[in-house]
Amino acid sequence: MAKSRPNEGGFTYLGLLIILAIIGVVAAASLQAGALMQRRAAEESLLDIGSDFRAALRGYADSTPAGLPRSPRTLQDLVRDPRYPGVRRHLRRVPPDPMGGDQPWGLVMSPDGAGIIGIYSQAPGHPIKQDGFPPAYQDFRNRDRYADWVFTQAPARNSQLPSRPIPLGPGASPPPNPGAGSSGSSGSR
């Protein structure tokens, strides 16, 4: 009968610990990469939803009967336009903020405070995407906060939109940095 050496079990145990450590590091890196990919996808979703809001705000303003306000009072007015007796929709529903979970959208109000002229995410954190935006969103480059990604309708030629957003309403965060470019409008140039 062959006798086993007493030190062989120690080397096997040490080898097993090293393999477990390697598996743990790989698993942690995979989780981080997955979270990063999920955040990038949420940022792309935010850009898509913001484009939908821009189009809805523009559609609301363009379909305004004479003498009525050109901006909705609430986001629900985009879902069912109260200015018409029949159902008229500019959005099918108010989508949730993909970055902020159940946080409400930040609202950019008209200068008189009576209507909404834009929205932005109130999510904390620093955007991953810093460049490579579509032409309509070039002013989103190198922004520090998601709140700096402001989606407003393209201003009409004679429109008197503010030079920077004026967020109002419950839970509104401070407006985007005024010195960081023309964040008051994300209109096409």
Side-chain angles (χ1 to χ4, degrees):
M1 215 181 213
K3 290 186 172 183
S4 66
R5 293 185 215 151
N7 291 340
E8 284 181 8
F11 285 118
T12 304
Y13 183 68
L14 182 61
L16 182 61
L17 287 177
I18 290 172
I19 289 172
L20 286 175
I22 290 170
I23 290 172
V25 168
V26 169
S30 296
L31 286 175
Q32 286 180 338
L36 186 66
M37 287 174 42
Q38 186 177 15
R39 207 162 124 213
R40 284 185 191 270
E43 285 182 1
E44 289 301 320
S45 181
L46 177 60
L47 289 171
D48 290 342
I49 290 170
S51 292
D52 292 345
F53 269 112
R54 277 186 86 211
L57 289 166
R58 187 176 319 119
Y60 189 96
D62 290 348
S63 67
T64 301
L68 292 177
R70 295 181 49 83
S71 301
R73 292 178 310 154
T74 69
L75 293 179
Q76 287 301 319
D77 289 352
L78 295 172
V79 175
R80 185 178 174 108
D81 194 335
R83 304 172 299 176
Y84 295 94
V87 176
R88 185 169 219 170
R89 297 183 188 280
H90 304 283
L91 284 176
R92 287 217 144 305
R93 64 182 179 85
V94 176
D97 180 353
M99 302 304 301
D102 38 348
Q103 271 188 324
W105 288 101
L107 303 177
V108 182
M109 304 304 289
S110 61
D112 62 3
I116 299 168
I117 59 172
I119 58 106
Y120 59 92
S121 174
Q122 297 189 73
H126 183 73
I128 296 170
K129 187 175 181 87
Q130 293 292 312
D131 204 358
F133 289 97
Y137 301 121
Q138 287 301 308
D139 56 338
F140 290 2
R141 292 178 61 207
N142 301 319
R143 297 302 177 147
D144 292 330
R145 305 177 306 157
Y146 291 110
D148 293 336
W149 291 11
V150 179
F151 300 94
T152 60
Q153 72 177 42
R157 285 199 174 132
N158 297 327
S159 176
Q160 294 296 319
L161 294 181
S163 60
R164 69 182 247 264
I166 307 168
L168 298 175
S173 65
N177 299 333
S182 61
S183 61
S185 172
S186 60
S188 302
R189 294 175 198 233

